Structures are given as C-alpha cells and as structure tokens.
Amino acid sequence: HKISCCLMAPTGRAAKRLSESTGADASTIHRALMLSIGDYGGGNGEMLNAGAVIVDEFSMVDVFLLNSLLSKLREGTKLIIVGDKDQLPSVGAGNVLQDVLQSGAVPVANLTQIYRQSEQSLITLNAHAINRGEMPVLTDKKSDFFFIRKSSQAEIADEIIGLATERIPKFLKSDATRVQ
C-alpha cells in the first residue's frame, strides 16, 4: 500500500536535484521543519505528517539538524537516509552519517554501480585508490582526471579561471555557464 513520503535535503541545490530526479516535491530540511538557518530549537512545534521521510545528501547533516529532524518524526515514521560515506562530513558538529553507518544499529545498503563516469574512468579509479589509501595516478594527460601543480595563490586563481571559462567548456563542447 502507498504511504505518504516527505523528501528533503540539507541544501536548496540538493533538494532541487532530488525533486528533478524523482518528479516529486522536495525541500530543504530547514524548510520542512520550519526552522530558520542556525535555529535548531524545533521550529513550529508541529510533527512531520509523513509515513516515510527520505533525506538525501545526509553526509552534510550535523548533530543539531539531526536532533531537530528526529524530534519532528511521529512514532512509526520511517526515516531513510541517503548519503555517500566518502563525502566530506558536515560543516557543523559531528560526523553523523559515518557514526550511523558504524553504529550497526540500522540496516545499511551500499550502492556499487557508478553512473556519473565509466568504470574505466580515471576519476573512478583514482577515487577508489584514494579510498584505499593509495596514491592516485597523476600522469595520464589524456584522461578525464588531471592534476595541476601550482604553488602561489595567484597562479592557482588564474588556473581556476582559465579552466572554468575556457579549457573545460572547450573540452566538453559546452558553454562556460554549465561548468561547476
């Protein structure tokens, strides 16, 4: 049977992407809980009215936001967290996703299929090497992964501007406004 579902993410950009991916409405956690930025007091006092709450990009959630979220779940509401254990932890206090995964208190499913790059992509291969504590391959100049060594702030800034405005758009045959 169908249950009501609430989709949310820590940032507006992630919520928009979640909405685009699912075709359903998604919001930031703050908006769903009616919190203002920096407010972790519980918002308007109303509980979330959903059978399931799905939170994407969970690696960005800190302990205070998690506490606010958990305080708004009705008894029996399913909380489904989606996140990448290899992403940087939240800016705020705690490494919530890592702690939840390591606790053994909740069932965990790990996705293994890569969709953004091919299995042979040097981005993929280097990401796996780094996760294993190995040095990434930095010498392949014709791949989708490259390393540029610069030492001064001015050189770094010039390189980033050149990459974002010229080299990457030319390589992707795209407009510079499409580069992140």
Side-chain angles (χ1 to χ4, degrees), residues 74-152:
R74 296 179 188 276
E75 188 172 331
T77 298
K78 306 286 186 214
L79 175 61
I80 302 165
I81 59 177
V82 180
D84 184 342
K85 65 180 178 52
D86 296 319
Q87 292 287 332
L88 293 173
S90 65
V91 173
N95 190 350
V96 176
L97 179 60
Q98 193 69 31
D99 291 344
V100 168
L101 293 172
Q102 289 178 349
S103 74
V106 297
V108 174
N110 289 304
L111 304 179
T112 57
Q113 181 66 39
I114 297 168
Y115 293 97
R116 291 188 182 164
Q117 291 88 21
S118 77
E119 291 284 337
Q120 269 44 76
S121 160
L122 201 53
I123 292 172
T124 302
L125 297 173
N126 277 342
H128 291 296
I130 291 166
N131 286 340
R132 289 189 306 268
E134 299 169 2
M135 188 68 181
V137 175
L138 304 177
T139 56
D140 188 344
K141 302 285 189 216
K142 298 193 185 317
S143 74
D144 58 354
F145 180 98
F146 51 94
F147 180 81
I148 302 168
R149 188 178 309 271
K150 299 291 179 190
S151 55
S152 77

Side-chain angles (χ1 to χ4, degrees), residues 144-172:
D144 58 354
F145 180 98
F146 51 94
F147 180 81
I148 302 168
R149 188 178 309 271
K150 299 291 179 190
S151 55
S152 77
Q153 290 182 358
E155 286 179 315
I156 293 167
D158 289 344
E159 187 70 33
I160 291 170
I161 292 168
L163 284 166
T165 61
E166 297 170 25
R167 290 173 56 193
I168 293 174
K170 182 179 175 185
F171 175 77
L172 296 176

